[in-house]
Amino acid sequence: MRIARSLLAACVLALAGTVAIAAPAAASTPIDKKLSFTCPFPLIGRQKLDVEVKASFEVPSAPGGTFTTSDLAVAVTVPDKSTRGLALVGAASIEGTASAGVTLANGSLTLPLSLPLTVAKTAVPASGPFTTNASGSVPPVQLPNAGKTTLTIGNFSTRLTPKKADGSYTGLGSFTSDCTLDAGQDPVLLAFDLRSSRAYGVTGSTTLKTLGATAPLTGSVTGFTPAFDPAHAEFKVFGFVPGTADLRFTPDGPQAGELTGDGFVAHAKLALAVPRVTLFGLPVADAGCRASAPIPVDLKTGPGFALASGGPVSGQYAIPPLTGCGAFTAYLSSLVQGEGNTFALTLTAR
């Protein structure tokens, strides 16, 4: 029976390593979770074990970001009777591994995970209770979807090895125990709603390098998708011929991006239409005048930007040849085609 109790104490240690998977909650928010598990042991049968888990977490503010965990601390107090059981078989320390089961649910995504963990080598006293700590590494996880997001703990399995003072094995050798979460508890370690998008109003400008013109811009950015209002540029050809160009930047297909700390990079793909161009006040372009291919541009937040309030965003892009402009297509294309064009924007959270 005392040997069986030693198994119980060992499995308590393994459970500590397992529960260390507890992952993200609100940024800089401490979590203190108490759960009970039932584990089968030789001779003494199924036993209930209590564990306390503490951790801090960082949660993204929009889909496409990642959440991470830090400051994991799992403390398990081994009772005196289990300590004496371990001492009876000559165990001076105990160590091992664990495989923990959790389920990550993010919107429509349900992802079962099995996390490998390490039970640190812990000295076993001759008698009396002792406390052991276990640690594990939880890699950052990207959350692609909007909606309710939860991290739920499930069952776990342990492989433990008690050892004598000289490092040799006890009569127990290494053994495995599979444990289950007791019913009637809340198994959710983390729950939050990931907002589908963050919306900003836009002011700023775009500069067309070859044309030598700057056009004021207004519009919005929702998530990673920019939506600009129609813009108007004024320019001079050869330094004295007055001209104007209407510009229409619109999203071309799905837009992507990722969060970068308290900012983001939007990998925009834009269609550019130039439905009206004038020289000396006379229209010289057909209404179907447009860029011949989508325009990729990375819109990056700058110093001082905050997701909660907004700030500066900029990007550079190249304009491909124009098409559909009518008789002057080649000439008009030569006026605007080329690299080094820029967006200089200011976003304001709505």
Side-chain angles (χ1 to χ4, degrees):
M1 180 63 70
R2 289 184 176 179
I3 292 176
R5 289 173 178 169
S6 71
L7 296 178
L8 174 59
C11 287
V12 171
L13 297 178
L15 180 60
T18 301
V19 182
I21 59 172
S28 302
T29 299
I31 295 300
D32 190 337
K33 187 77 171 182
K34 296 179 180 179
L35 294 167
S36 67
F37 295 78
T38 295
C39 303
F41 302 108
L43 302 180
I44 61 174
R46 296 168 63 83
Q47 301 294 317
K48 179 180 288 188
L49 305 178
D50 295 323
V51 172
E52 182 174 19
V53 183
K54 295 181 180 180
S56 295
F57 309 98
E58 294 182 1
V59 172
S61 60
T66 59
F67 67 70
T68 59
T69 182
S70 61
D71 300 327
L72 287 171
V74 179
V76 177
T77 300
V78 180
D80 172 66
K81 60 183 179 181
S82 296
T83 302
R84 287 186 280 110
L86 286 170
L88 181 65
V89 296
S93 65
I94 192 164
E95 59 194 272
T97 60
S99 177
V102 295
T103 299
L104 174 66
N106 170 230
S108 60
L109 172 69
T110 299
L111 182 63
L113 302 173
S114 180
L115 303 181
L117 303 166
T118 300
V119 180
K121 183 177 181 179
T122 304
V124 178
S127 63
F130 69 97
T131 299
T132 186
N133 295 284
S135 63
S137 177
V138 182
V141 179
Q142 186 177 48
L143 303 179
N145 300 319
K148 185 176 181 179
T149 301
T150 59
L151 186 70
T152 304
I153 192 167
N155 302 330
F156 69 92
S157 179
T158 62
R159 181 74 175 172
L160 297 173
T161 304
K163 292 183 178 181
K164 297 179 181 180
D166 61 4
S168 62
Y169 292 98
T170 70
L172 298 177
S174 296
F175 57 90
T176 299
S177 181
D178 298 324
C179 301
T180 58
L181 181 69
D182 291 337
Q185 302 180 95
D186 177 12
V188 176
L189 302 175
L190 170 71
F192 62 95
D193 286 323
L194 192 60
R195 283 173 284 182
S196 60
S197 62
R198 185 178 291 275
Y200 302 90
V202 172
T203 58
S205 63
T206 183
T207 296
L208 309 180
K209 182 178 179 181
T210 304
L211 192 62
T214 297
L217 283 178
T218 57
S220 64
V221 172
T222 303
F224 299 122
T225 302
F228 297 114
D229 299 327
H232 182 79
E234 297 183 356
F235 59 92
K236 290 185 178 181
V237 179
F238 306 125
F240 65 90
V241 178
T244 66
D246 291 344
L247 307 172
R248 304 288 188 273
F249 289 99
T250 57
D252 187 281
Q255 308 291 293
E258 65 266 352
L259 298 178
T260 56
D262 201 29
F264 65 84
V265 178
H267 303 302
K269 187 169 64 172
L270 304 174
L272 172 61
V274 191
R276 178 177 172 82
V277 181
T278 68
L279 293 175
F280 284 118
L282 301 175
V284 292
D286 290 351
C289 187
R290 65 191 185 280
S292 58
I295 298 173
V297 54
D298 284 347
L299 296 173
K300 302 179 181 180
T301 57
F305 187 92
L307 289 172
S309 57
V313 170
S314 61
Q316 293 192 5
Y317 62 97
I319 299 178
L322 299 183
T323 187
C325 304
F328 296 100
T329 293
Y331 177 69
L332 295 177
S333 185
S334 70
L335 293 181
V336 300
Q337 177 184 351
E339 300 180 348
N341 309 290
T342 62
F343 286 108
L345 310 172
T346 299
L347 274 57
T348 303
R350 290 178 170 175

